[in-house]
């Protein structure tokens, strides 16, 4: 499949704009899911996914053909989401990291079981809860967890689009998973 | 929990599929005997399973079309030249005009291989050589194409030789300019100058009427 995508990219580089629709079709779901979990809102996620594909197209000349296209588009989409999250940030919020700590935030200072567990939740409500809990993760943990569990990437494959050493990715996944465990254990 | 500290680390390595076989054996052995740790691993697995987006949430069916519609149009093939021409209509028109005109003129240059001379009185033509005889006067311009000219008498006007030589005898005289044109480019330039003169004289004549 990678070969087919590379071939389409070469066609786009030659000026065949229509070849790009094949690439969009191939990656739209993955990119949309990534944006959806990063941003937590369907419409915004679609906007961001669209923006990511547009940005990839405009910069297609700088794409290195030895690289996987997925790595590249995930990097673009993740960065767009992080930019959006930073612009939306309220003055004070619970997942702000406490200065001088690595990954500790106001949430970790709260008792993790303040919400009473409900066994019978409607799936939409449940989804909302899950999304809210994911949004509480600091973005540096959120992005690695999303790349790992939505895009099924290995640690090495996550380290490429985020420009992070594999060791850092590993630590962030462990901490992110730990935080999610505490937040979602009662569901 | 009195479990070894590294057990949780092993769980993460196990979930990342990066656990060594030794550590895996230790982890499995421990889990068999420790319910707390079994529960802990279950909670970790459950938490990440929630990260998957449920199938009920999908991207709009017209997503690809919207992306394609948002792409910049000028990036299309041949779009650059077209875009440039649209941005500079006057320059484009002038460039097109020059290309067509020079094409036409060069064609006339290449086709004009035959000998020809302006019809004037008192001219003698011998084997592609035009002679202005001694003691005679030619009134008017002379244009010789693909031939030579020998001037022994008087010419009251310009003499232009294209693809040929001119010989001016000591007794001969020309009141106007004498020009030899050998190169296609010069021919083109000559044509342009002549056309410009004609156009300007036409404009001048009309504006005075």
């Amino acid at each position: 499949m990678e070969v087919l995508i590379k071939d389409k990219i070469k066609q786009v580089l030659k000026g065949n704009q229509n070849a790009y629709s094949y690439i969009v079709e191939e990656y739209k779901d993955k990119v949309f899911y990534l944006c959806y979990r990063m941003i937590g809102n369907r419409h915004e996620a679609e906007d961001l996914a669209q923006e990511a594909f547009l940005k990839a197209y405009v910069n297609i000349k700088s794409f290195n053909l030895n690289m996987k296209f997925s790595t590249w588009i995930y990097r673009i989409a993740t960065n767009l989401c992080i930019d959006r999250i930073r612009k939306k940030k309220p003055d004070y919020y619970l997942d702000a990291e406490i200065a001088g700590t690595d990954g500790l935030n106001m949430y970790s200072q709260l008792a993790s079981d303040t919400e009473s567990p409900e066994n019978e939740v409607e799936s939409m409500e449940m989804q909302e809860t899950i999304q809210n809990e994911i949004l509480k993760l600091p973005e540096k943990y959120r992005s690695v967890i999303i790349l790992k569990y939505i895009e099924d990437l290995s640690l090495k494959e996550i380290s490429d689009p985020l420009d992070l050493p594999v060791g850092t990715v590993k630590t962030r996944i462990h901490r992110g998973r730990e935080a999610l465990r505490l937040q979602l254990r009662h569901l | 929990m009195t479990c070894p500290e590294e057990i949780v680390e092993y769980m993460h390595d196990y979930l990342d599929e990066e656990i060594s076989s030794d550590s895996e054996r230790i982890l499995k052995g421990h889990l068999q005997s420790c319910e707390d740790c079994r529960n802990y691993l279950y909670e970790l697995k459950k938490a990440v399973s929630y990260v998957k987006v449920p199938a009920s949430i999908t991207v709009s069916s017209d997503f690809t079309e919207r992306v394609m519609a948002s792409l910049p149009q000028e990036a299309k093939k041949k779009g650059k030249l077209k875009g440039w021409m649209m941005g500079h209509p006057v320059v484009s028109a002038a460039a097109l005009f020059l290309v067509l005109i020079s094409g036409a003129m060069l064609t006339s240059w290449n086709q004009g291989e035959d000998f020809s001379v302006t019809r004037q009185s008192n001219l003698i033509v011998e084997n592609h050589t035009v002679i202005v005889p001694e003691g005679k006067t030619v009134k008017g311009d002379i244009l010789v194409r693909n031939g030579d000219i020998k001037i022994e008498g008087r010419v009251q006007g310009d003499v232009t030789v294209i693809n040929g030589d001119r010989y001016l005898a000591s007794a001969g005289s020309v009141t106007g300019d004498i020009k030899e044109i050998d190169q296609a480019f010069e021919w083109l330039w000559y044509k342009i100058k002549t056309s410009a003169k004609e156009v300007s004289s036409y404009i001048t004549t009309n504006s005075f009427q």
Side-chain angles (χ1 to χ4, degrees), chain B residues 28-43:
Chain B
K28 286 197 169 154
H30 179 78
L31 289 177
Q32 277 175 354
S33 61
C34 176
E35 203 195 330
D36 284 348
C37 283
R38 275 205 301 276
N39 193 38
Y40 194 101
L41 181 60
Y42 168 73
E43 283 174 359

Side-chain angles (χ1 to χ4, degrees), chain B residues 17 21 24 29 37 102 105 113 117 127 134 143 146 149-150 154 157 182 186 192 194:
Chain B
E17 294 164 20
S21 51
E24 191 168 357
C37 283
S102 36
M105 284 177 180
E113 304 247 320
V117 63
N127 291 334
E134 210 175 332
L143 173 70
N146 301 311
I149 187 164
K150 213 180 262 182
R154 288 166 58 81
D182 287 322
E186 284 182 52
I192 291 171
T194 322

Side-chain angles (χ1 to χ4, degrees), chain B residues 126-166:
Chain B
E126 278 176 4
N127 291 334
H128 290 197
T129 304
V130 181
I131 300 169
V132 181
E134 210 175 332
K136 303 272 180 172
T137 303
V138 175
K139 289 177 182 174
D141 300 340
I142 305 173
L143 173 70
V144 181
R145 202 188 278 235
N146 301 311
D148 303 333
I149 187 164
K150 213 180 262 182
I151 303 162
E152 288 160 354
R154 288 166 58 81
V155 178
Q156 290 180 350
D158 298 342
V159 173
T160 309
V161 185
I162 299 164
N163 258 3
D165 294 320
R166 62 175 161 82

Side-chain angles (χ1 to χ4, degrees), chain A residues 120 146 160:
Chain A
E120 289 172 31
I146 286 168
D160 289 339

Side-chain angles (χ1 to χ4, degrees), chain B residues 31-71:
Chain B
L31 289 177
Q32 277 175 354
S33 61
C34 176
E35 203 195 330
D36 284 348
C37 283
R38 275 205 301 276
N39 193 38
Y40 194 101
L41 181 60
Y42 168 73
E43 283 174 359
L44 281 175
K45 282 184 173 175
K46 189 175 74 166
V48 295
S49 74
Y50 287 137
V51 176
K52 292 255 181 233
V53 178
S56 60
I57 296 172
T58 52
V59 69
S60 311
S61 54
D62 64 345
F63 181 82
T64 305
E65 286 145 53
R66 278 191 288 127
V67 170
M68 294 308 288
S70 74
L71 299 184

Side-chain angles (χ1 to χ4, degrees), chain A residues 23-55:
Chain A
I23 300 170
V24 177
E25 200 58 35
E26 194 63 40
Y27 290 102
K28 62 175 185 179
D29 294 316
K30 296 262 184 189
V31 174
F32 167 69
Y33 291 151
L34 185 157
C35 295
Y36 176 72
R37 279 308 192 211
M38 283 297 283
I39 216 83
N41 170 307
R42 237 179 111 151
H43 292 290
E44 238 179 307
E46 277 208 16
D47 278 357
L48 284 163
Q50 191 174 332
E51 211 178 317
F53 281 113
L54 175 62
K55 203 168 174 184

